Protein backbone atom coordinates (compact mmCIF):
# COMPACT_ATOMS: atom_id res chain seq x y z
CA UNK A 1 0.00 0.00 0.00
CA UNK A 2 1.16 3.55 -0.70
CA UNK A 3 0.28 4.49 2.84
CA UNK A 4 2.95 2.09 4.13
CA UNK A 5 5.41 4.84 3.22
CA UNK A 6 4.11 6.86 6.17
CA UNK A 7 3.29 4.10 8.68
CA UNK A 8 5.59 1.07 8.33
CA UNK A 9 8.98 0.45 9.96
CA UNK A 10 10.74 1.90 12.96
CA UNK A 11 11.85 4.91 10.90
CA UNK A 12 8.20 5.97 10.67
CA UNK A 13 7.62 6.11 14.44
CA UNK A 14 7.29 9.94 14.32
CA UNK A 15 4.77 9.68 11.48
CA UNK A 16 2.77 7.07 13.38
CA UNK A 17 2.87 9.21 16.49
CA UNK A 18 1.11 11.98 14.62
CA UNK A 19 -1.43 9.52 13.22
CA UNK A 20 -2.09 8.19 16.72
CA UNK A 21 -2.82 11.75 17.84
CA UNK A 22 -5.75 11.66 15.40
CA UNK A 23 -7.15 8.59 17.16
CA UNK A 24 -5.88 6.01 14.66
CA UNK A 25 -5.71 2.57 16.31
CA UNK A 26 -3.20 -0.24 15.87
CA UNK A 27 -5.73 -2.17 13.77
CA UNK A 28 -6.32 0.82 11.51
CA UNK A 29 -2.58 1.22 10.93
CA UNK A 30 -2.78 -1.96 8.83
CA UNK A 31 -5.76 -0.80 6.73
CA UNK A 32 -5.80 1.26 3.51
CA UNK A 33 -5.86 5.03 4.04
CA UNK A 34 -8.57 6.72 1.96
CA UNK A 35 -8.57 10.45 1.29
CA UNK A 36 -11.95 12.14 1.00
CA UNK A 37 -11.89 15.47 -0.85
CA UNK A 38 -14.93 17.38 0.42
CA UNK A 39 -16.02 20.58 -1.34
CA UNK A 40 -18.41 21.59 1.46
CA UNK A 41 -18.91 25.27 2.16
CA UNK A 42 -21.89 27.42 3.07
CA UNK A 43 -21.70 29.96 0.24
CA UNK A 44 -22.45 27.54 -2.66
CA UNK A 45 -26.01 26.09 -2.69
CA UNK A 46 -24.70 22.99 -4.42
CA UNK A 47 -22.25 22.38 -1.58
CA UNK A 48 -24.07 23.31 1.59
CA UNK A 49 -25.23 19.71 2.14
CA UNK A 50 -21.94 17.99 1.29
CA UNK A 51 -20.97 17.66 4.93
CA UNK A 52 -23.81 15.17 5.38
CA UNK A 53 -22.99 13.42 2.10
CA UNK A 54 -19.38 13.06 3.21
CA UNK A 55 -20.41 11.56 6.55
CA UNK A 56 -22.14 8.76 4.65
CA UNK A 57 -19.01 8.28 2.52
CA UNK A 58 -16.90 8.04 5.68
CA UNK A 59 -19.28 5.40 7.07
CA UNK A 60 -19.00 3.41 3.85
CA UNK A 61 -15.20 3.54 3.78
CA UNK A 62 -14.94 2.42 7.42
CA UNK A 63 -17.52 -0.35 7.00
CA UNK A 64 -15.67 -1.73 3.98
CA UNK A 65 -12.31 -1.86 5.77
CA UNK A 66 -10.63 1.46 5.09
CA UNK A 67 -9.60 4.45 7.18
CA UNK A 68 -11.21 7.71 5.96
CA UNK A 69 -9.32 11.02 6.11
CA UNK A 70 -11.36 14.06 5.11
CA UNK A 71 -9.91 17.29 3.78
CA UNK A 72 -11.46 20.44 2.36
CA UNK A 73 -11.50 21.78 -1.19
CA UNK A 74 -12.62 25.23 -2.32
CA UNK A 75 -15.66 25.89 -4.47
CA UNK A 76 -16.96 29.00 -6.25
CA UNK A 77 -20.64 29.53 -7.04
CA UNK A 78 -20.73 30.70 -10.66
CA UNK A 79 -24.19 32.18 -10.20
CA UNK A 80 -23.06 34.42 -7.34
CA UNK A 81 -19.83 35.25 -9.18
CA UNK A 82 -21.68 36.00 -12.44
CA UNK A 83 -21.70 39.40 -14.10
CA UNK A 84 -18.88 41.11 -12.20
CA UNK A 85 -15.13 40.90 -11.57
CA UNK A 86 -15.55 37.75 -9.48
CA UNK A 87 -16.37 35.68 -12.57
CA UNK A 88 -12.76 35.94 -13.73
CA UNK A 89 -11.76 33.74 -10.80
CA UNK A 90 -14.09 30.84 -11.54
CA UNK A 91 -12.21 28.93 -14.25
CA UNK A 92 -8.81 29.41 -12.52
CA UNK A 93 -10.36 27.74 -9.47
CA UNK A 94 -10.58 24.50 -11.47
CA UNK A 95 -6.79 24.35 -11.63
CA UNK A 96 -6.51 25.28 -7.95
CA UNK A 97 -8.83 22.41 -7.02
CA UNK A 98 -6.82 19.91 -9.04
CA UNK A 99 -3.57 21.20 -7.57
CA UNK A 100 -4.81 21.15 -3.97
CA UNK A 101 -6.02 17.57 -4.21
CA UNK A 102 -2.75 16.49 -5.80
CA UNK A 103 -0.87 18.13 -2.92
CA UNK A 104 -2.95 16.34 -0.27
CA UNK A 105 -2.93 12.95 -2.01
CA UNK A 106 0.78 12.90 -2.75
CA UNK A 107 1.94 14.37 0.57
CA UNK A 108 -0.07 11.91 2.68
CA UNK A 109 0.31 8.87 0.40
CA UNK A 110 -3.36 7.95 0.39
CA UNK A 111 -4.20 4.52 -1.05
CA UNK A 112 -7.48 5.69 -2.53
CA UNK A 113 -9.49 8.86 -3.12
CA UNK A 114 -13.19 9.69 -2.88
CA UNK A 115 -14.23 13.03 -4.38
CA UNK A 116 -17.39 14.64 -2.96
CA UNK A 117 -18.38 17.50 -5.21
CA UNK A 118 -21.01 19.48 -7.06
CA UNK A 119 -20.97 22.50 -9.39
CA UNK A 120 -19.25 23.81 -12.44
CA UNK A 121 -15.48 23.87 -11.86
CA UNK A 122 -15.37 21.60 -8.84
CA UNK A 123 -16.43 18.37 -10.55
CA UNK A 124 -13.96 18.73 -13.47
CA UNK A 125 -11.22 19.93 -11.12
CA UNK A 126 -11.60 16.80 -9.02
CA UNK A 127 -11.67 14.55 -12.08
CA UNK A 128 -8.50 16.24 -13.33
CA UNK A 129 -6.85 15.56 -9.97
CA UNK A 130 -7.94 11.92 -10.00
CA UNK A 131 -6.52 11.42 -13.49
CA UNK A 132 -3.31 13.24 -12.57
CA UNK A 133 -2.64 11.37 -9.32
CA UNK A 134 -3.91 8.08 -10.77
CA UNK A 135 -4.61 6.28 -7.53
CA UNK A 136 -7.89 4.32 -7.16
CA UNK A 137 -10.60 7.00 -7.13
CA UNK A 138 -14.36 7.42 -7.23
CA UNK A 139 -16.67 10.44 -7.37
CA UNK A 140 -20.01 11.14 -5.72
CA UNK A 141 -21.77 14.25 -7.00
CA UNK A 142 -24.09 16.11 -4.64
CA UNK A 143 -27.17 16.20 -6.85
CA UNK A 144 -29.48 18.82 -8.36
CA UNK A 145 -31.73 21.24 -6.51
CA UNK A 146 -35.48 20.74 -6.58
CA UNK A 147 -37.33 22.97 -9.02
CA UNK A 148 -38.68 26.28 -7.83
CA UNK A 149 -42.38 26.97 -8.13
CA UNK A 150 -44.61 29.98 -8.62
CA UNK A 151 -48.15 30.36 -9.97
CA UNK A 152 -48.28 26.84 -11.40
CA UNK A 153 -44.90 27.07 -13.16
CA UNK A 154 -41.65 25.28 -12.41
CA UNK A 155 -38.74 27.69 -12.02
CA UNK A 156 -34.95 27.69 -12.12
CA UNK A 157 -32.21 30.29 -11.71
CA UNK A 158 -32.36 31.15 -15.41
CA UNK A 159 -35.88 32.52 -14.95
CA UNK A 160 -34.42 35.07 -12.54
CA UNK A 161 -31.57 36.05 -14.87
CA UNK A 162 -34.03 36.48 -17.73
CA UNK A 163 -36.29 38.46 -15.40
CA UNK A 164 -33.62 41.16 -15.30
CA UNK A 165 -34.06 41.64 -19.03
CA UNK A 166 -37.85 41.71 -18.64
CA UNK A 167 -37.57 44.50 -16.07
CA UNK A 168 -35.32 46.42 -18.47
CA UNK A 169 -37.89 45.85 -21.23
CA UNK A 170 -40.70 47.08 -19.02
CA UNK A 171 -42.59 43.77 -19.19
CA UNK A 172 -41.99 42.87 -15.54
CA UNK A 173 -42.05 45.00 -12.42
CA UNK A 174 -39.24 44.99 -9.88
CA UNK A 175 -41.69 43.70 -7.27
CA UNK A 176 -42.53 40.74 -9.53
CA UNK A 177 -38.81 40.09 -10.02
CA UNK A 178 -38.38 40.07 -6.25
CA UNK A 179 -41.15 37.47 -5.91
CA UNK A 180 -39.46 35.43 -8.63
CA UNK A 181 -36.05 35.52 -6.94
CA UNK A 182 -37.62 34.36 -3.68
CA UNK A 183 -39.34 31.40 -5.37
CA UNK A 184 -36.81 30.08 -7.89
CA UNK A 185 -34.20 28.41 -5.67
CA UNK A 186 -35.83 26.37 -2.88
CA UNK A 187 -32.79 24.79 -1.22
CA UNK A 188 -29.54 22.89 -1.54
CA UNK A 189 -28.20 21.35 -4.73
CA UNK A 190 -26.86 22.37 -8.11
CA UNK A 191 -29.03 24.62 -10.31
CA UNK A 192 -32.00 22.62 -11.59
CA UNK A 193 -31.53 22.33 -15.34
CA UNK A 194 -28.90 20.71 -17.54
CA UNK A 195 -26.50 23.56 -16.90
CA UNK A 196 -22.77 22.98 -16.49
CA UNK A 197 -22.86 21.53 -12.96
CA UNK A 198 -25.43 18.87 -13.77
CA UNK A 199 -23.97 18.20 -17.20
CA UNK A 200 -20.59 17.48 -15.59
CA UNK A 201 -22.26 15.17 -13.06
CA UNK A 202 -23.76 13.31 -16.01
CA UNK A 203 -20.38 13.22 -17.75
CA UNK A 204 -18.79 11.78 -14.60
CA UNK A 205 -21.31 8.95 -14.57
CA UNK A 206 -21.05 8.45 -18.32
CA UNK A 207 -17.26 8.08 -18.27
CA UNK A 208 -17.62 5.54 -15.47
CA UNK A 209 -16.23 7.52 -12.52
CA UNK A 210 -19.37 7.51 -10.32
CA UNK A 211 -21.86 4.83 -9.39
CA UNK A 212 -24.88 4.17 -11.67
CA UNK A 213 -27.67 6.68 -11.17
CA UNK A 214 -25.61 9.12 -9.11
CA UNK A 215 -25.85 12.18 -11.37
CA UNK A 216 -29.60 12.77 -11.41
CA UNK A 217 -30.54 11.92 -7.81
CA UNK A 218 -31.82 15.17 -6.22
CA UNK A 219 -29.70 16.64 -3.44
CA UNK A 220 -32.46 16.24 -0.86
CA UNK A 221 -33.44 12.68 -1.74
CA UNK A 222 -32.50 9.92 0.72
CA UNK A 223 -31.20 7.98 -2.28
CA UNK A 224 -28.32 10.46 -2.36
CA UNK A 225 -27.30 9.44 1.16
CA UNK A 226 -27.54 5.78 0.19
CA UNK A 227 -25.40 6.16 -2.91
CA UNK A 228 -22.86 8.18 -0.90
CA UNK A 229 -22.58 5.29 1.57
CA UNK A 230 -22.24 2.84 -1.34
CA UNK A 231 -19.58 5.07 -2.89
CA UNK A 232 -17.51 4.88 0.29
CA UNK A 233 -17.82 1.10 0.20
CA UNK A 234 -17.04 0.91 -3.52
CA UNK A 235 -13.60 2.55 -3.23
CA UNK A 236 -12.24 -0.46 -1.33
CA UNK A 237 -12.49 -3.04 -4.15
CA UNK A 238 -10.85 -0.50 -6.45
CA UNK A 239 -7.95 -0.17 -4.00
CA UNK A 240 -7.66 -3.94 -3.57
CA UNK A 241 -7.64 -4.58 -7.33
CA UNK A 242 -5.66 -1.40 -8.10
CA UNK A 243 -8.22 -0.12 -10.60
CA UNK A 244 -7.07 3.43 -11.31
CA UNK A 245 -8.68 6.44 -13.01
CA UNK A 246 -6.65 5.98 -16.18
CA UNK A 247 -8.08 2.47 -16.44
CA UNK A 248 -11.54 4.09 -16.46
CA UNK A 249 -10.89 7.45 -18.21
CA UNK A 250 -9.89 6.31 -21.69
CA UNK A 251 -10.53 7.51 -25.21
CA UNK A 252 -13.55 5.20 -25.45
CA UNK A 253 -15.04 6.25 -22.10
CA UNK A 254 -14.60 9.93 -22.97
CA UNK A 255 -16.32 9.26 -26.27
CA UNK A 256 -19.17 7.66 -24.32
CA UNK A 257 -19.37 10.80 -22.20
CA UNK A 258 -19.50 12.98 -25.30
CA UNK A 259 -22.28 10.81 -26.74
CA UNK A 260 -24.34 11.20 -23.59
CA UNK A 261 -23.61 14.93 -23.70
CA UNK A 262 -24.90 15.13 -27.26
CA UNK A 263 -27.98 13.05 -26.43
CA UNK A 264 -28.83 15.34 -23.52
CA UNK A 265 -27.95 18.65 -25.19
CA UNK A 266 -25.56 19.63 -22.40
CA UNK A 267 -23.52 22.71 -21.61
CA UNK A 268 -20.86 24.05 -23.98
CA UNK A 269 -18.51 24.09 -20.98
CA UNK A 270 -18.27 20.31 -21.13
CA UNK A 271 -16.09 20.70 -24.21
CA UNK A 272 -13.62 22.74 -22.19
CA UNK A 273 -13.69 20.40 -19.19
CA UNK A 274 -13.58 17.08 -21.03
CA UNK A 275 -10.58 18.35 -22.99
CA UNK A 276 -8.85 19.27 -19.72
CA UNK A 277 -9.65 15.90 -18.12
CA UNK A 278 -8.35 14.14 -21.22
CA UNK A 279 -5.12 16.14 -21.02
CA UNK A 280 -4.58 15.05 -17.40
CA UNK A 281 -5.30 11.42 -18.33
CA UNK A 282 -2.96 11.72 -21.32
CA UNK A 283 -5.76 10.77 -23.70
CA UNK A 284 -5.68 12.35 -27.18
CA UNK A 285 -8.96 14.25 -27.59
CA UNK A 286 -9.68 17.05 -30.07
CA UNK A 287 -12.57 19.32 -30.98
CA UNK A 288 -13.07 17.23 -34.11
CA UNK A 289 -14.01 14.27 -31.90
CA UNK A 290 -16.97 16.29 -30.64
CA UNK A 291 -18.17 17.08 -34.16
CA UNK A 292 -17.77 13.49 -35.32
CA UNK A 293 -19.74 12.10 -32.38
CA UNK A 294 -22.39 14.84 -32.65
CA UNK A 295 -22.98 13.93 -36.26
CA UNK A 296 -24.22 10.42 -35.51
CA UNK A 297 -25.71 10.79 -32.01
CA UNK A 298 -29.37 11.80 -31.75
CA UNK A 299 -30.51 14.44 -29.28
CA UNK A 300 -33.13 12.55 -27.25
CA UNK A 301 -33.70 14.55 -24.03
CA UNK A 302 -35.20 18.04 -24.20
CA UNK A 303 -33.61 19.46 -21.06
CA UNK A 304 -33.61 22.96 -19.57
CA UNK A 305 -32.65 25.59 -20.63
CA UNK A 306 -33.39 24.71 -24.27
CA UNK A 307 -36.31 22.46 -23.33
CA UNK A 308 -38.84 22.01 -20.53
CA UNK A 309 -37.32 19.19 -18.47
CA UNK A 310 -35.37 19.58 -15.22
CA UNK A 311 -32.89 17.12 -13.71
CA UNK A 312 -35.62 16.07 -11.28
CA UNK A 313 -37.71 15.03 -14.28
CA UNK A 314 -34.77 13.12 -15.77
CA UNK A 315 -34.27 11.31 -12.46
CA UNK A 316 -37.90 10.20 -12.37
CA UNK A 317 -37.58 8.99 -15.96
CA UNK A 318 -34.68 6.68 -15.09
CA UNK A 319 -31.63 8.95 -14.98
CA UNK A 320 -28.40 8.37 -16.85
CA UNK A 321 -28.68 4.54 -16.80
CA UNK A 322 -31.92 4.90 -18.79
CA UNK A 323 -30.11 7.20 -21.22
CA UNK A 324 -27.45 4.46 -21.55
CA UNK A 325 -30.22 2.01 -22.39
CA UNK A 326 -31.52 4.25 -25.18
CA UNK A 327 -27.97 4.67 -26.51
CA UNK A 328 -26.98 1.02 -26.10
CA UNK A 329 -26.03 0.54 -29.74
CA UNK A 330 -23.95 3.74 -29.71
CA UNK A 331 -21.83 3.18 -26.58
CA UNK A 332 -18.55 1.33 -26.15
CA UNK A 333 -18.59 -1.28 -23.38
CA UNK A 334 -16.21 0.40 -20.95
CA UNK A 335 -15.47 -0.49 -17.31
CA UNK A 336 -16.76 1.69 -14.47
CA UNK A 337 -15.97 2.19 -10.79
CA UNK A 338 -19.03 0.06 -9.96
CA UNK A 339 -17.27 -3.02 -11.37
CA UNK A 340 -20.10 -3.24 -13.90
CA UNK A 341 -19.55 -2.27 -17.50
CA UNK A 342 -21.53 0.45 -19.24
CA UNK A 343 -23.50 -2.09 -21.26
CA UNK A 344 -24.31 -4.12 -18.13
CA UNK A 345 -25.63 -0.95 -16.50
CA UNK A 346 -27.63 -0.09 -19.62
CA UNK A 347 -29.23 -3.53 -19.91
CA UNK A 348 -30.29 -3.47 -16.24
CA UNK A 349 -31.78 0.04 -16.47
CA UNK A 350 -35.48 0.90 -16.72
CA UNK A 351 -36.82 3.67 -18.92
CA UNK A 352 -39.68 5.00 -16.81
CA UNK A 353 -40.85 7.73 -19.19
CA UNK A 354 -40.30 7.40 -22.92
CA UNK A 355 -41.41 10.97 -23.55
CA UNK A 356 -38.59 12.36 -21.41
CA UNK A 357 -35.88 9.95 -22.63
CA UNK A 358 -36.94 9.44 -26.20
CA UNK A 359 -36.21 6.62 -28.60
CA UNK A 360 -33.30 7.46 -30.93
CA UNK A 361 -35.66 6.71 -33.81
CA UNK A 362 -37.90 9.56 -32.61
CA UNK A 363 -35.38 12.18 -31.38
CA UNK A 364 -35.66 15.86 -30.62
CA UNK A 365 -33.05 16.25 -33.35
CA UNK A 366 -31.18 13.63 -35.40
CA UNK A 367 -27.82 15.17 -34.44
CA UNK A 368 -26.24 15.99 -31.08
CA UNK A 369 -26.82 19.12 -29.02
CA UNK A 370 -23.37 20.74 -29.51
CA UNK A 371 -21.39 21.73 -32.57
CA UNK A 372 -17.86 22.94 -33.22
CA UNK A 373 -17.60 25.74 -35.78
CA UNK A 374 -14.57 26.72 -37.81
CA UNK A 375 -13.85 29.58 -40.20
CA UNK A 376 -11.91 32.79 -40.72
CA UNK A 377 -13.18 34.17 -37.40
CA UNK A 378 -12.33 30.98 -35.47
CA UNK A 379 -9.49 29.10 -37.18
CA UNK A 380 -9.01 26.88 -34.13
CA UNK A 381 -12.69 26.42 -33.43
CA UNK A 382 -15.68 27.75 -31.49
CA UNK A 383 -18.51 26.02 -29.62
CA UNK A 384 -22.28 26.43 -29.82
CA UNK A 385 -25.14 24.65 -28.08
CA UNK A 386 -27.13 24.13 -31.26
CA UNK A 387 -29.88 22.39 -29.27
CA UNK A 388 -30.73 25.79 -27.79
CA UNK A 389 -30.74 27.69 -31.11
CA UNK A 390 -34.02 28.22 -32.99
CA UNK A 391 -33.88 26.77 -36.49
CA UNK A 392 -34.50 30.23 -37.95
CA UNK A 393 -31.13 31.36 -36.56
CA UNK A 394 -29.01 28.41 -37.69
CA UNK A 395 -27.89 30.55 -40.62
CA UNK A 396 -27.38 34.26 -40.14
CA UNK A 397 -25.38 37.10 -41.62
CA UNK A 398 -25.32 40.48 -39.95
CA UNK A 399 -23.30 43.54 -38.98
CA UNK A 400 -20.88 43.33 -36.07
CA UNK A 401 -21.41 45.28 -32.88
CA UNK A 402 -18.07 45.10 -31.09
CA UNK A 403 -17.46 45.43 -27.35
CA UNK A 404 -14.16 44.94 -25.57
CA UNK A 405 -15.70 43.76 -22.31
CA UNK A 406 -18.82 42.13 -20.91
CA UNK A 407 -19.59 45.26 -18.89
CA UNK A 408 -19.73 47.55 -21.93
CA UNK A 409 -21.87 45.04 -23.82
CA UNK A 410 -24.27 44.75 -20.90
CA UNK A 411 -24.74 48.53 -20.79
CA UNK A 412 -25.59 48.56 -24.49
CA UNK A 413 -28.03 45.65 -24.10
CA UNK A 414 -29.91 47.13 -21.16
CA UNK A 415 -29.81 50.52 -22.89
CA UNK A 416 -31.57 48.90 -25.89
CA UNK A 417 -28.79 49.95 -28.26
CA UNK A 418 -28.64 46.54 -29.97
CA UNK A 419 -30.79 45.98 -33.05
CA UNK A 420 -32.36 42.81 -34.37
CA UNK A 421 -30.01 41.24 -36.93
CA UNK A 422 -26.84 42.43 -35.18
CA UNK A 423 -23.93 40.13 -34.39
CA UNK A 424 -22.89 41.11 -30.88
CA UNK A 425 -19.20 40.50 -30.20
CA UNK A 426 -17.75 40.47 -26.68
CA UNK A 427 -13.98 40.08 -26.91
CA UNK A 428 -10.88 40.16 -24.70
CA UNK A 429 -12.76 37.79 -22.39
CA UNK A 430 -10.76 34.66 -23.24
CA UNK A 431 -8.55 32.52 -21.00
CA UNK A 432 -5.64 34.95 -21.12
CA UNK A 433 -7.35 38.19 -22.08
CA UNK A 434 -9.98 38.38 -19.34
CA UNK A 435 -8.17 36.55 -17.78
CA UNK A 436 -10.21 33.57 -16.67
CA UNK A 437 -12.64 33.20 -19.58
CA UNK A 438 -15.76 34.42 -17.71
CA UNK A 439 -19.24 33.15 -18.49
CA UNK A 440 -21.71 35.51 -20.14
CA UNK A 441 -25.02 34.52 -18.60
CA UNK A 442 -25.99 38.08 -17.71
CA UNK A 443 -25.86 39.41 -21.31
CA UNK A 444 -27.49 36.34 -22.84
CA UNK A 445 -30.28 36.23 -20.27
CA UNK A 446 -30.86 39.98 -20.62
CA UNK A 447 -31.20 39.52 -24.38
CA UNK A 448 -33.79 36.79 -23.84
CA UNK A 449 -35.65 38.85 -21.27
CA UNK A 450 -35.72 41.86 -23.59
CA UNK A 451 -37.26 39.68 -26.28
CA UNK A 452 -34.54 39.72 -28.94
CA UNK A 453 -35.04 36.97 -31.53
CA UNK A 454 -32.43 37.64 -34.21
CA UNK A 455 -29.19 38.64 -32.47
CA UNK A 456 -26.14 36.35 -32.52
CA UNK A 457 -23.66 36.61 -29.64
CA UNK A 458 -19.99 35.75 -30.17
CA UNK A 459 -17.22 35.70 -27.58
CA UNK A 460 -13.78 34.30 -26.80
CA UNK A 461 -15.14 33.89 -23.28
CA UNK A 462 -17.69 31.29 -22.25
CA UNK A 463 -21.43 30.97 -21.99
CA UNK A 464 -23.15 29.52 -18.96
CA UNK A 465 -24.81 26.15 -19.25
CA UNK A 466 -27.99 28.11 -18.61
CA UNK A 467 -27.62 30.07 -21.84
CA UNK A 468 -30.05 29.58 -24.69
CA UNK A 469 -30.22 31.13 -28.14
CA UNK A 470 -27.61 31.70 -30.86
CA UNK A 471 -24.58 32.12 -28.58
CA UNK A 472 -21.15 31.02 -29.80
CA UNK A 473 -18.24 30.91 -27.39
CA UNK A 474 -14.68 29.61 -26.89
CA UNK A 475 -13.58 31.37 -30.10
CA UNK A 476 -9.95 30.40 -30.66
CA UNK A 477 -7.44 31.87 -30.89
CA UNK A 478 -8.74 34.52 -28.51
CA UNK A 479 -8.47 38.25 -29.23
CA UNK A 480 -5.78 38.87 -26.60
CA UNK A 481 -3.26 36.67 -28.42
CA UNK A 482 -4.01 38.18 -31.83
CA UNK A 483 -6.84 35.96 -32.97
CA UNK A 484 -9.05 37.27 -35.80
CA UNK A 485 -11.66 38.41 -33.27
CA UNK A 486 -9.27 41.23 -32.31
CA UNK A 487 -9.53 42.79 -35.77
CA UNK A 488 -13.31 42.94 -36.15
CA UNK A 489 -14.78 46.43 -36.40
CA UNK A 490 -18.33 47.72 -36.07
CA UNK A 491 -20.45 47.03 -39.16
CA UNK A 492 -18.14 44.27 -40.49
CA UNK A 493 -20.22 41.46 -41.96
CA UNK A 494 -20.21 38.22 -39.94
CA UNK A 495 -21.65 35.01 -41.36
CA UNK A 496 -22.65 32.06 -39.18
CA UNK A 497 -23.92 28.74 -40.55
CA UNK A 498 -24.59 25.98 -38.02
CA UNK A 499 -25.56 23.57 -40.82
CA UNK A 500 -22.14 23.98 -42.45
CA UNK A 501 -20.42 24.44 -39.05
CA UNK A 502 -18.81 27.70 -40.18
CA UNK A 503 -18.19 31.13 -38.69
CA UNK A 504 -16.59 33.75 -40.95
CA UNK A 505 -15.53 37.37 -40.93
CA UNK A 506 -16.42 38.68 -44.37
CA UNK A 507 -13.59 41.19 -44.69
CA UNK A 508 -10.80 40.99 -47.33
CA UNK A 509 -7.51 39.51 -46.15
CA UNK A 510 -5.54 42.64 -47.09
CA UNK A 511 -7.81 44.77 -44.88
CA UNK A 512 -7.32 42.37 -41.97
CA UNK A 513 -3.55 42.57 -42.50
CA UNK A 514 -3.74 46.37 -42.41
CA UNK A 515 -5.68 46.36 -39.16
CA UNK A 516 -3.26 43.88 -37.66
CA UNK A 517 -0.29 46.19 -38.18
CA UNK A 518 -1.83 48.84 -35.94
CA UNK A 519 -3.17 46.48 -33.30
CA UNK A 520 -2.01 46.31 -29.70
CA UNK A 521 -3.72 44.16 -27.07
CA UNK A 522 -5.25 45.99 -24.12
CA UNK A 523 -2.98 46.11 -21.10
CA UNK A 524 -4.52 44.95 -17.84
CA UNK A 525 -2.80 45.39 -14.50
CA UNK A 526 -2.98 41.99 -12.83
CA UNK A 527 -1.82 40.65 -9.50
CA UNK A 528 -1.99 37.38 -7.58
CA UNK A 529 -3.83 34.38 -8.99
CA UNK A 530 -4.99 36.10 -12.18
CA UNK A 531 -1.48 37.33 -13.02
CA UNK A 532 -0.05 33.82 -12.69
CA UNK A 533 -2.98 32.31 -14.56
CA UNK A 534 -2.68 34.71 -17.51
CA UNK A 535 0.99 33.79 -17.97
CA UNK A 536 0.44 30.05 -18.05
CA UNK A 537 -3.04 29.30 -19.41
CA UNK A 538 -3.53 27.76 -22.84
CA UNK A 539 -6.25 28.33 -25.41
CA UNK A 540 -9.85 27.16 -25.17
CA UNK A 541 -9.56 24.67 -28.03
CA UNK A 542 -7.18 22.65 -25.84
CA UNK A 543 -9.21 22.92 -22.64
CA UNK A 544 -7.70 26.17 -21.27
CA UNK A 545 -5.31 24.14 -19.13
CA UNK A 546 -2.30 25.69 -17.47
CA UNK A 547 1.05 24.77 -18.95
Amino acid sequence: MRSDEVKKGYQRAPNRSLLRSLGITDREMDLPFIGIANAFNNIVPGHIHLRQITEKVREGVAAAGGVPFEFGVIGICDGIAMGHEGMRYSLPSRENIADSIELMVQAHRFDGLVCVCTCDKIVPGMLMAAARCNIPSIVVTGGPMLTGYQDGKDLSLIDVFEGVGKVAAGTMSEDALCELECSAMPGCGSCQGLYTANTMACMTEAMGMSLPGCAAIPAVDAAKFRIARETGEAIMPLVKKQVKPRDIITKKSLQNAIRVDMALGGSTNTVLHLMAIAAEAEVPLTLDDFNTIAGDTPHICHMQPSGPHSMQTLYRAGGIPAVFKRLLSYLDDCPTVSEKSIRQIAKAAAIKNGEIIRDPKDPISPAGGLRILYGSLAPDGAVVKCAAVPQAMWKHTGPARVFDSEESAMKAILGKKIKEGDVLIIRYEGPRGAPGMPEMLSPTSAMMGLGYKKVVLLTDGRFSGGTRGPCIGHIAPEAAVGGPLAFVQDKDSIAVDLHAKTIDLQVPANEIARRKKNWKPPVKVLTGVLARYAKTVGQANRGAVQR
Side-chain angles (χ1 to χ4, degrees), residues 28-200:
E28 288 176 318
M29 288 290 186
D30 294 325
L31 300 178
F33 283 7
I34 308 300
I36 303 177
N38 181 6
F40 163 80
N41 61 52
N42 62 6
I43 181 79
V44 183
H47 294 185
I48 197 167
H49 64 307
L50 294 188
R51 182 178 284 164
Q52 289 73 33
I53 297 292
T54 301
E55 281 300 315
K56 301 304 290 186
V57 172
R58 289 172 62 93
E59 290 176 15
V61 169
V67 184
F69 293 91
E70 180 183 343
F71 60 92
V73 175
I74 68 163
I76 288 174
C77 178
D78 280 15
I80 296 173
M82 194 74 66
H84 54 81
E85 187 68 17
M87 193 65 220
R88 305 189 190 285
Y89 290 83
S90 178
L91 186 58
S93 76
R94 184 188 71 179
E95 319 305 308
N96 179 288
I97 290 161
D99 290 348
S100 66
I101 294 174
E102 178 191 6
L103 291 169
M104 293 295 287
V105 164
Q106 301 295 25
H108 299 103
R109 313 313 290 162
F110 292 132
D111 299 301
L113 174 68
V114 182
C115 297
V116 183
C117 50
T118 315
C119 297
D120 301 38
K121 310 309 169 301
I122 299 84
V123 175
M126 288 195 175
L127 286 166
M128 290 165 66
R132 184 189 301 174
C133 297
N134 203 35
I135 66 169
S137 303
I138 191 169
V139 178
V140 56
T141 48
M145 188 185 297
L146 298 181
T147 54
Y149 183 82
Q150 185 185 50
D151 299 330
K153 179 187 175 185
D154 287 342
L155 300 174
S156 76
L157 182 63
I158 305 311
D159 293 288
V160 186
F161 271 100
E162 294 185 1
V164 173
K166 292 178 181 178
V167 171
T171 59
M172 176 183 282
S173 70
E174 290 192 42
D175 286 343
L177 179 60
C178 182
E179 289 183 24
L180 183 62
E181 75 175 73
C182 292
S183 303
M185 310 297 282
C188 66
S190 49
C191 299
Q192 301 98 327
L194 194 68
Y195 315 139
T196 305
N198 289 323
T199 307
M200 283 309 304

Side-chain angles (χ1 to χ4, degrees), residues 304-514:
Q304 295 174 350
S306 55
H309 303 312
S310 68
M311 286 296 293
Q312 187 176 343
T313 303
L314 180 66
Y315 172 61
R316 290 170 177 167
I320 296 303
V323 176
F324 289 166
K325 195 176 191 76
R326 287 295 201 200
L327 297 177
L328 189 58
S329 63
Y330 295 84
L331 298 173
D332 285 303
D333 197 20
C334 297
T336 76
V337 291
S338 71
E339 299 190 283
K340 297 177 182 177
S341 73
I342 287 290
R343 294 180 72 84
Q344 286 175 321
I345 295 167
K347 289 176 181 177
I351 299 167
K352 299 176 182 178
N353 189 326
E355 292 299 313
I356 307 301
I357 305 173
R358 297 173 67 162
D359 191 305
K361 295 178 182 178
D362 181 31
I364 312 299
S365 169
L370 300 177
R371 290 198 176 192
I372 309 300
L373 311 181
Y374 293 97
S376 60
L377 193 58
D380 293 336
V383 185
V384 63
K385 184 193 286 190
C386 54
V389 181
Q391 281 291 322
M393 289 299 293
W394 273 49
K395 189 172 184 178
H396 180 81
T397 300
R401 293 293 310 279
V402 182
F403 299 91
D404 288 348
S405 70
E406 178 186 2
E407 292 78 10
S408 58
M410 192 66 176
K411 288 179 182 178
I413 293 168
L414 294 179
K416 302 179 184 178
K417 295 180 180 179
I418 305 301
K419 298 178 180 178
E420 291 283 24
D422 284 349
V423 177
L424 177 60
I425 291 176
I426 307 175
R427 65 186 178 191
Y428 298 113
E429 297 287 14
R432 188 178 300 180
M437 206 179 178
E439 292 182 346
M440 306 288 172
L441 182 57
S442 294
T444 58
S445 296
M447 295 289 290
M448 287 292 149
L450 283 162
Y452 285 98
K453 305 290 186 185
K454 297 181 180 179
V455 175
V456 175
L457 281 79
L458 309 179
T459 184
D460 48 9
R462 298 180 295 125
F463 289 117
S464 163
T467 295
R468 58 193 179 100
C471 304
I472 300 168
H474 305 201
I475 291 176
E478 64 177 297
V481 299
L485 200 66
F487 313 122
V488 183
Q489 295 181 358
D490 277 343
K491 299 183 180 179
D492 284 348
S493 179
I494 306 288
V496 173
D497 189 336
L498 303 193
H499 300 285
K501 303 172 189 172
T502 57
I503 177 171
D504 290 300
L505 171 61
Q506 297 182 320
V507 174
N510 60 344
E511 172 60 17
I512 296 298
R514 185 191 67 78

